[in-house]
Amino acid sequence: MNEDVKPNSLQAWILAARPKTLTAASIPVMIGCALAEAHGHFQATPAILCFLFAFLMQIDANFINDLYDFLKGSDREDRLGPERACAQGWITPQNIKKGILLTTALAALCGLCLLYYSGWEMIPVGIACLVFAYLYTTLAYHGWGDILVLVFFGFVPVGCTYYVMAHTWNGSVTIASLACGLVIDTLLMVNNFRDREQDAISGKRTLVVRFGAKTGLIVYFLLGLTACWLCFYFVGQGKLWASILPELYLLIHILTTVRMARIGKGKALNAILGETSRNMFFFGILLSAGLLL
């Protein structure tokens, strides 16, 4: 246990929330807002509510993942990723359950406020997001993590952010959602690539565990490449910059892929995790800027 972190302190809760992962929550909403602005539908209040909902759901999922892995015994001494709150004794399981209930309630409140701007048809989507937060860790153990990321970090946040403001859906939303989901999945792929040996012991059947490290590395690269190439769709929509700017992401994505291959295994891959988070945020900024120009 890290003695610098006092049990159940504010610092402990901040660490449990994993603020670095909030990048993955902000990128889809940012792209959805850029699409809404590009089509003349942007509204500040629902945009803020979408960001709050996304942040709260990400934190909620992090708390649930922390608790679930602790109860399952997955956070062993050979863990390579960042330390977990329950496993380190920073937060008791009883208290993190309370944190889960609070963040779930706050997220639900934001969702209810969004109904004023969208409509009752968004209720099933909100319920699906809550179910996703609770079941993601379980489903990820059976190899569904990548599909869930595409849906809940791509189509749901990008599309629904746009929908609550525009009350419609179009081809641009579909392409932007898919590109966003693919880029964010690179973050999951790094995690799974780094943890492949530990996941195999824990019975977590990720794509990397099933098909090997080389496949994981190739898929990591292809995820970013495909996301960039999808953006060429916007040329036909009169959004040339939305096609050109995201290609700049590909340069740093290639460099990160090469470094990932050279490192191969171990805790040193946490540096690649940081680079990947930076890269995907850069992609989100580039695509959003391109949509607005």
Side-chain angles (χ1 to χ4, degrees):
M1 176 177 171
N2 188 336
E3 296 181 356
D4 293 332
V5 181
K6 295 181 179 179
N8 300 312
S9 64
L10 177 62
Q11 182 185 9
W13 283 103
I14 291 174
L15 289 171
R18 302 180 216 166
K20 291 182 179 180
T21 66
L22 297 184
T23 303
S26 63
I27 293 169
V29 179
M30 177 171 60
I31 292 173
C33 288
L35 282 165
E37 174 63 25
H39 295 135
H41 300 297
F42 180 78
Q43 300 175 62
T45 301
I48 293 171
L49 288 171
C50 284
F51 273 112
L52 287 174
F53 181 80
F55 288 153
L56 287 166
M57 288 309 305
Q58 180 68 57
I59 293 170
D60 202 24
N62 289 342
F63 286 167
I64 294 167
N65 179 249
D66 197 304
L67 176 64
Y68 182 88
D69 280 352
F70 172 73
L71 296 176
K72 192 174 176 64
S74 300
D75 290 332
R76 303 184 304 272
E77 291 183 0
D78 62 348
R79 175 176 171 78
L80 300 176
E83 295 173 328
R84 297 289 180 82
C86 284
Q88 294 297 315
W90 298 337
I91 301 174
T92 62
Q94 292 76 17
N95 281 336
I96 206 161
K97 287 178 182 177
K98 294 177 183 177
I100 291 168
L101 289 175
L102 178 60
T103 49
T104 299
L106 291 174
L109 179 61
C110 288
L112 288 173
C113 292
L114 280 168
L115 293 180
Y116 174 80
Y117 296 94
S118 56
W120 297 106
E121 66 272 17
M122 293 298 292
I123 290 179
V125 178
I127 293 173
C129 289
L130 293 174
V131 171
F132 162 72
Y134 279 86
L135 295 184
Y136 170 75
T137 302
T138 301
L139 293 172
Y141 269 80
H142 298 284
W144 289 93
D146 300 285
I147 299 298
L148 292 172
V149 167
L150 286 177
V151 174
F152 288 97
F153 286 92
F155 290 99
V156 170
V158 175
C160 290
T161 296
Y162 181 83
Y163 183 83
V164 297
M165 302 183 214
H167 301 283
T168 188
W169 191 290
N170 55 50
S172 294
V173 176
T174 299
I175 295 300
S177 297
L178 181 56
C180 181
L182 290 171
V183 164
I184 292 178
D185 195 36
T186 60
L187 196 64
L188 177 63
M189 194 57 60
V190 175
N191 269 307
N192 293 342
F193 182 84
R194 179 198 62 204
D195 297 337
R196 59 190 184 273
E197 294 179 357
Q198 290 72 26
D199 285 344
I201 295 172
S202 300
K204 190 173 182 180
R205 306 297 294 168
T206 65
L207 185 149
V208 182
V209 170
R210 290 174 185 269
F211 300 103
K214 184 177 180 180
T215 297
L217 189 66
I218 293 171
V219 172
Y220 174 85
F221 172 68
L222 291 178
L223 286 169
L225 178 67
T226 305
C228 286
W229 284 1
L230 281 171
C231 292
F232 286 120
Y233 167 86
F234 295 109
V235 172
Q237 304 302 307
K239 290 288 182 182
L240 183 61
W241 286 110
S243 300
I244 295 175
L245 289 180
E247 306 313 311
L248 297 175
Y249 155 86
L250 192 55
L251 298 175
I252 56 175
H253 178 64
I254 291 172
L255 292 175
T256 299
T257 303
V258 171
R259 279 192 282 269
M260 181 174 166
R262 286 175 178 171
I263 294 172
K265 61 190 303 184
K267 284 191 174 183
L269 285 168
N270 286 325
I272 302 300
L273 194 68
E275 285 188 27
T276 301
S277 180
R278 176 205 64 192
N279 294 353
M280 68 188 198
F281 188 64
F282 187 50
F283 177 87
I285 291 175
L286 290 170
L287 178 54
S288 297
L291 291 167
L292 294 174
L293 290 175

